[in-house]
Amino acid sequence: MPGSVHSQDPQDESMVDAEQPQQPQDPIDPILTLDKRIVVLPGSSETAASFQFDGEGHTMGNALRYSIMKNPAVEFCGYTIPHPSDAKMHLRIQTTDSTTALAALEKGFDDLMDLCDVVTEKFTDARDQFNEENSNRMQA
């Protein structure tokens, strides 16, 4: 029937059941996935790579950049937040031939964790000393 919404043509039915092509969820085609939240971006090489961190912002970006730049084998490290409404951070690392960008990233994480451990230890010691001094004053 012309103008009918429901067609009885068998070709139409087979087209409805046909698989639809998969649309990429993210325009970035990951070369290597380190974690579900860290992706190596296309165009990376052994000594120069860009990483995308999902769910991270300036706090992690600046701390990690600082930690990585302490490595003498790193020539450049910088981060950007591509758009404020996206919870993504991009980190670019360029190294000398003596190491890889991935190794520099791993060392940066290790160094940052060591720094956090030192800060935690110093804070805990200062808090315990403060609490001890205050409890001594309360008893006196």
Side-chain angles (χ1 to χ4, degrees):
M1 189 184 282
S4 172
V5 175
H6 300 287
S7 172
Q8 296 299 324
D9 188 0
Q11 270 187 326
D12 289 343
E13 288 178 19
S14 66
M15 291 302 288
V16 171
D17 295 335
E19 284 189 34
Q20 298 297 321
Q22 292 285 340
Q23 295 295 323
Q25 303 247 346
D26 195 343
I28 297 169
D29 183 26
I31 295 173
L32 170 67
T33 301
L34 302 173
D35 182 336
K36 291 180 182 176
R37 294 177 41 198
I38 305 173
V39 176
V40 179
L41 298 177
S44 297
S45 67
E46 288 291 315
T47 60
S50 293
F51 303 90
Q52 176 178 292
F53 293 75
D54 290 335
E56 297 298 342
H58 290 287
T59 303
M60 175 63 82
N62 196 38
L64 194 54
R65 181 204 56 80
Y66 172 80
S67 178
I68 292 170
M69 280 304 297
K70 301 288 261 174
N71 184 344
V74 173
E75 293 178 342
F76 172 81
C77 183
Y79 80 96
T80 63
I81 305 296
H83 194 276
S85 67
D86 263 347
K88 294 180 182 179
M89 184 258 302
H90 291 181
L91 182 79
R92 175 79 176 170
I93 301 172
Q94 290 176 236
T95 66
T96 61
D97 291 334
S98 64
T99 190
T100 65
L102 186 58
L105 177 62
E106 290 173 351
K107 182 175 178 355
F109 274 130
D110 290 341
D111 292 348
L112 186 55
M113 290 203 35
D114 291 343
L115 178 62
C116 289
D117 290 342
V118 168
V119 169
T120 300
E121 182 181 323
K122 288 187 181 263
F123 174 81
T124 303
D125 291 345
R127 183 201 59 202
D128 293 346
Q129 182 180 355
F130 176 82
N131 288 340
E132 184 179 318
E133 288 172 2
N134 279 344
S135 70
N136 289 341
R137 286 182 192 158
M138 297 286 260
Q139 291 173 359

